[in-house]
Amino acid sequence: MIREGLNIIKVGGAIVEDEESLKGLLMSFSGLRGKKILVHGGGKIATEIASRLGVETQMIDGRRITSAEMLKVVTMVYGGLVNKDIVARLQALGENAIGLTGADMNLIMSVKRPVELVNFGYVGDVKYVNTRSLKSILEAGAVPVLAPLTHDKEGTMLNTNADTIASSVARALAGDYSVTLTFCSSTPGVLRNLEDPTTLVKTISKTDFDSMVSDGTISEGMIPKLQNAFEAINDGVSKVVITSPSDLSGGTTILADPETDD
Ligand code: ADP
């Protein structure tokens, strides 16, 4: 049986905050035919609004901590302002967008990250994606726009990495659709030299990834992004790409691990 296509596009916080990039991305997104989902990141706007409200941003080892007060701000900013701005703009482009967090229709449930070396606060690790509800929204012809927020089903919202949401939703829906997962980042894809966009790596295997992490070619946010990408391609997602918002059909394609005979 040929499964219907589904495009899942994840757009990072830096793009959401850059007017020109966001405009271009939303235009390209609205040009995609068939079923689609947009997952957006948060960006620095939450930090800016938090400081205006007198809420301090706590950092440990350069990593942001979601305090109880910051959780209120990210819920307002990511689930409200950022999400609804994107929805309104997609509606203007003729897309029947619906903005949702993981709490809506119990779409994405997570558990608060256990305290080990660092207490990240109100950060959720995804445990469950409600494919039935997501499918019903898609089948109704609407376009879900997912904010980087989940819930614990006990009444608490949790701040959740948007790459992880995109990868988890893609894997969960891979049984029903032929899913293409595209991570839109501020770089054209994985680069050999960060300063030089012509050094784009067209395809990357897990072996390439391991050696490029060891020699320092791949670092920072690109490491967890690629880990999410490999999890998706090895768990039924048809195609996984990392690219820039201006080139949805280009970028770096993630290669699945070779099949092993058991
Ligand atoms: P997002 O754009 O989704 O917020 P991140 O900022 O978390 O993504 O991760 C992308 C960042 O990873 C790039 O902006 C870049 O600074 C960094 N990076 C590290 N190594 C590489 C690499 N080899 N190729 C491309 N980007 C890289």
Side-chain angles (χ1 to χ4, degrees), residues 10-15 41-43 161-163 183-194 199-201 204 212 216-226 242-243 252:
K10 185 265 165 173
V11 53
I15 296 162
N161 180 283
D163 284 352
F183 293 96
C184 284
S185 185
S186 21
T187 67
V190 178
L191 302 174
R192 288 207 175 273
N193 172 3
L194 263 188
T199 62
L200 176 75
V201 176
I204 186 167
M212 288 169 84
T217 307
I218 293 173
S219 63
E220 300 175 348
M222 195 47 83
I223 297 177
K225 191 182 298 297
L226 279 162
I242 298 178
T243 188
T252 303

Side-chain angles (χ1 to χ4, degrees), residues 16-254:
V16 167
E17 281 168 359
D18 181 84
E19 179 52 35
E20 279 309 302
S21 309
L22 180 61
K23 204 169 151 189
L25 183 271
L26 294 180
M27 290 285 285
S28 313
F29 182 76
S30 78
L32 295 171
R33 302 179 67 143
K35 295 192 166 50
K36 51 195 166 186
I37 297 175
L38 187 72
V39 181
H40 64 83
K44 297 192 195 78
I45 186 171
T47 316
E48 192 191 306
I49 291 176
S51 100
R52 282 202 236 164
L53 293 169
V55 174
E56 257 179 65
T57 299
Q58 297 172 14
M59 306 282 278
I60 297 181
D61 296 337
R63 304 178 80 164
R64 200 177 301 273
I65 307 301
T66 307
S67 64
E69 286 303 299
M70 188 54 92
L71 178 68
K72 292 180 190 168
V73 177
V74 297
T75 303
M76 288 190 284
V77 176
Y78 300 165
L81 183 63
V82 174
N83 187 269
K84 277 13 180 187
D85 178 53
I86 293 174
V87 169
R89 294 165 72 139
L90 284 173
Q91 287 286 349
L93 292 167
E95 296 292 337
N96 194 15
I98 175 171
L100 301 157
T101 71
D104 296 286
M105 288 180 98
N106 187 28
L107 287 184
I108 310 167
M109 200 197 84
S110 64
V111 292
K112 189 165 177 281
R113 187 167 304 162
V115 177
E116 285 167 5
L117 289 176
V118 177
N119 181 359
F120 287 97
Y122 291 92
V123 167
D125 292 321
V126 176
K127 286 291 161 218
Y128 163 78
V129 176
N130 190 336
T131 50
R132 205 167 140 184
S133 293
L134 269 172
K135 272 166 62 185
S136 70
I137 298 168
L138 291 167
E139 298 302 326
V143 176
V145 176
L146 304 179
L149 294 162
T150 56
H151 75 147
D152 66 358
K153 197 84 163 69
E154 290 174 24
T156 303
M157 296 298 291
L158 292 165
N159 195 3
T160 304
N161 180 283
D163 284 352
T164 309
I165 291 188
S167 171
S168 305
V169 168
R171 288 155 63 195
L173 290 172
D176 297 289
Y177 303 97
S178 171
V179 179
T180 299
L181 171 61
T182 307
F183 293 96
C184 284
S185 185
S186 21
T187 67
V190 178
L191 302 174
R192 288 207 175 273
N193 172 3
L194 263 188
E195 312 293 313
D196 182 359
T198 64
T199 62
L200 176 75
V201 176
K202 286 259 160 80
T203 58
I204 186 167
S205 68
K206 185 65 173 43
T207 315
D208 302 331
F209 169 69
D210 290 340
S211 69
M212 288 169 84
V213 170
S214 310
D215 69 15
T217 307
I218 293 173
S219 63
E220 300 175 348
M222 195 47 83
I223 297 177
K225 191 182 298 297
L226 279 162
Q227 284 165 339
N228 274 308
F230 282 111
E231 275 179 35
I233 199 70
N234 290 317
D235 197 17
V237 176
S238 304
K239 189 169 184 204
V240 183
V241 177
I242 298 178
T243 188
S244 69
S246 57
D247 185 20
L248 288 190
S249 55
T252 303
T253 299
I254 315 305

